[in-house]
Amino acid sequence: MQRGTAVHGQFIESMPEAAALEQGREALAAVKAALYLSQHHCQKYGVDEHKCARWLSSQKLFGTTLGAACSAARAPAGGYCSGQDKYRSLDGSCNHLEQPAWAQGQALTAYRRLLFPEYQDGIHLPRGPKKGLALPSARLVSVAIAKDRDVPDRELTLALMQWTQFVEHDMAHTPTSKMVNTGTALTCCRPDATPLAPRHAHPLCQPVTIPQDDPFYGRVRARCMSYIRSLHAFRPDCGFGPAEQMNQATHFLDGSQLYGTSARRDRSLRLFSGGRLLLARRSGHGQGASRPLLPPADEPRDRCQVSSASAVCYKSGDVRANSHPHLAAMHTLWAREHNRLAEELAELNPQWDDETIFQEARRIVIAEMQHITYDQWLPAILGSRFVQKVGLNTPDSNWYRENMDPSVSNAFATVGLRFGLSMMQGRIQLFDEERRPNASLLLRDHFNKPNVLEDGSSLDGLVRGLATQSSQQVDTFLVEDLTNMMYLDASERGVDALSLAIQRGRDHGLPSYNQYRKLCGLPQAKAFVDFADVMSRQTASRLGGVYAHPDDVDVLVGGMAERPWEGALVGPTLRCVISEQLLRSRRADRYFFDNPDQPYPLSPEQIREVRKVSLARIFCDNANDVASMQPRVFSLPSNSNRVTSCANDDAIPRLDLTLWRENNV
């Protein structure tokens, strides 16, 4: 893999940590052992490979060296759980005290399954077709359904798109594999985007085949899009059975994209003075240039698509912070929010040491993120009536469930929030204080190149743009910046985000769209026309033109093709997958901000203060010189959502931190 290339851009998104690679090697050995048993025993006695996979999943690794490695991988970072920790751990451990062996929610553990995986060989080979030799190329599917059409939403802003991605990054980060023995990053195609000879192709490669007549890549004779299989994880019960994939983030909504998931990352992000995060002042220009930005990355040429060791590349809790300007801006705002809270808490409680201030500020930041997600974002995504009906934002006294697994489902991580791709704009507009566009950026030019934030006025322009520019509608249409030019390099040839997402679903053994329809209460389709109960007949027909059988349709493709359902932005299948996860993520989190059943809960008065916070207030308090904002930034300004002064505490309430003065707690 060469730095700065589109393949490098892909790798940055899924960059594995050293600890993840170590566990992934052991987990791969367990998969190979299961594959050996299937091939040499089940096949010998004529047992169907899929039935064999289910039987193998009931057999445990305990008593073997792999069983010991699985147990060690699931141990909490400190070696034990005290049961009385005031603050949540960085790695997600010690949340469920009655089930410590589950390691539920801990970073570097497997995703949970909504449905038993469907691998072609029952164990490891990516999902195959109902009939025939292969599913249609993921790129062929992308070209067939993902047209580049400008259909801006009439009500929603890019802030909703960005919060969707921010939540996704908080809860899921699927690392990619590297070469097992050397740890070298892989590439699965030649530099000219043609296939490797079979003898040179690594077993963990699963490249996307590009058709010869591809409308974009055909012109540059590209035939191969690199895809490396996701890193494996031990099965949750330390058993044999089909392959599982690893979540490098914690499974909780806990700000891990800001704070990291390990003590080592935590140390690299903190100032260790006054409880603050490490930020760096720049010698930039424009208004607000003196305000600090994220600290520089230790290895810019590895973590961004840049050619110089002195190039702009930021460090945060998640390497994906540099993915594009809006995401880098969001990380910056929340790092500043932490420091703003820390400084005020230090004034209120001069007796607190650095660690106490840091943990209290972190606790408030996580509470703010949780509140914004459940009380402001979810109703916009799933519909207010549905959110209230299933109780996503109306907790009761019996809300917390100790025996509920909080782990993120593979379907949620791989498919659930991917609809956000269709909301992205190819041309990012920057706005002045009067909400007039005064500059613009092409998304294709800024993947993993966050230098635009160095201009002090650009950060404010981006923030105002998040609250002012319409998102694209949620549908199957994606801008060309994502389907042809993502991670664009010097060859003027990028990659296709949708193709890679489809390929990842197959790699993870996700069952077909038809199976998830059944899980979510819809009838299984026997013909493509049966899909017309939740999508247009034209879309169902397009699916029939690219897939051979209704059971072949990828769940991501079918989910994105559904019409918005009952006030939601998404259709019934994606709504089902998202709501299942977010309900679980709240009920199964001991440290959720309003849960009274935790060692040191927030007081009712503190909880009421947290519920005053909005993303509008975060924008106002932490941008450089943004002086006005509409109260509901997920919605476009209107007569009922007027842009108002940030000093108007009635319209955009502030959190009163005096309730955190120690004698009040």
Side-chain angles (χ1 to χ4, degrees), residues 1-267:
M1 186 189 72
Q2 298 178 358
R3 289 171 171 169
T5 60
V7 175
H8 180 210
Q10 287 178 250
F11 179 73
I12 292 169
E13 180 188 359
S14 306
M15 185 179 290
E17 299 173 0
L21 286 172
E22 183 178 346
Q23 293 185 30
R25 281 193 291 267
E26 301 280 4
L28 178 60
V31 171
K32 294 295 186 181
L35 194 59
Y36 177 88
L37 291 172
S38 175
Q39 292 174 344
H40 290 78
H41 294 278
C42 291
Q43 290 182 17
K44 179 179 178 181
Y45 294 102
V47 178
D48 176 82
E49 54 198 7
H50 298 287
K51 290 182 179 178
C52 181
R54 288 184 178 271
W55 177 80
L56 280 171
S57 67
S58 68
Q59 308 304 305
K60 302 297 181 281
L61 295 167
F62 300 125
T64 70
T65 54
L66 287 175
C70 181
S71 296
R74 301 162 71 77
Y80 72 98
C81 300
S82 73
Q84 290 300 312
D85 292 323
K86 184 174 183 179
Y87 309 110
R88 65 169 72 238
S89 62
L90 284 164
D91 68 352
S93 60
C94 299
N95 198 295
H96 282 239
L97 302 177
E98 294 180 13
Q99 304 288 350
W102 290 354
Q104 291 179 337
Q106 191 169 329
L108 309 185
T109 56
Y111 292 116
R112 177 176 50 87
R113 293 281 183 176
L114 294 179
L115 293 170
F116 197 79
E118 286 189 6
Y119 291 104
Q120 197 163 1
D121 59 358
I123 302 295
H124 191 228
L125 280 180
R127 183 176 72 90
K130 180 78 171 181
K131 296 178 181 179
L133 297 177
L135 291 169
S137 158
R139 174 63 183 179
L140 186 67
V141 175
S142 174
V143 169
I145 69 162
K147 309 300 182 184
D148 184 0
R149 295 183 184 174
D150 182 22
V151 189
D153 197 283
R154 296 180 180 181
E155 297 180 5
L156 303 175
T157 66
L158 281 176
L160 187 66
M161 173 281 297
Q162 193 49 67
W163 195 255
T164 301
Q165 188 180 48
F166 204 56
V167 169
E168 182 182 28
H169 285 191
D170 192 337
M171 299 178 68
H173 188 191
T174 306
T176 194
S177 301
K178 283 186 171 184
M179 293 185 72
V180 175
N181 294 322
T182 65
T184 305
L186 292 164
T187 184
C188 299
C189 306
R190 296 177 184 273
D192 63 353
T194 56
L196 292 166
R199 68 179 183 275
H200 293 148
H202 194 278
L204 291 172
C205 278
Q206 200 70 37
V208 176
T209 300
I210 300 175
Q212 189 170 350
D213 59 350
D214 188 276
F216 176 80
Y217 293 112
R219 293 175 298 184
V220 291
R221 299 182 180 180
R223 299 289 178 268
C224 179
M225 190 181 304
S226 186
Y227 177 83
I228 305 158
R229 300 196 66 179
S230 298
L231 201 62
H232 295 90
F234 283 112
R235 293 177 61 81
D237 59 355
C238 287
F240 287 99
E244 301 291 357
Q245 288 75 35
M246 181 184 293
N247 187 2
Q248 197 164 250
T250 68
H251 296 252
F252 297 102
L253 186 65
D254 61 358
S256 62
Q257 79 277 43
L258 184 63
Y259 297 105
T261 61
S262 67
R264 180 179 179 183
R265 176 58 66 93
D266 176 60
R267 288 193 297 270

Side-chain angles (χ1 to χ4, degrees), residues 421-432:
L421 290 172
S422 72
M423 300 178 73
M424 296 182 73
Q425 291 278 13
R427 182 173 292 277
I428 300 170
Q429 293 182 327
L430 282 69
F431 290 80
D432 63 19

Side-chain angles (χ1 to χ4, degrees), residues 579-599:
S579 62
E580 190 277 343
Q581 182 59 57
L582 272 295
L583 194 64
R584 185 179 294 269
S585 295
R586 184 166 192 166
R587 285 185 172 173
D589 183 0
R590 179 186 301 278
Y591 290 95
F592 201 88
F593 83 94
D594 59 1
N595 174 31
D597 188 20
Q598 57 180 298

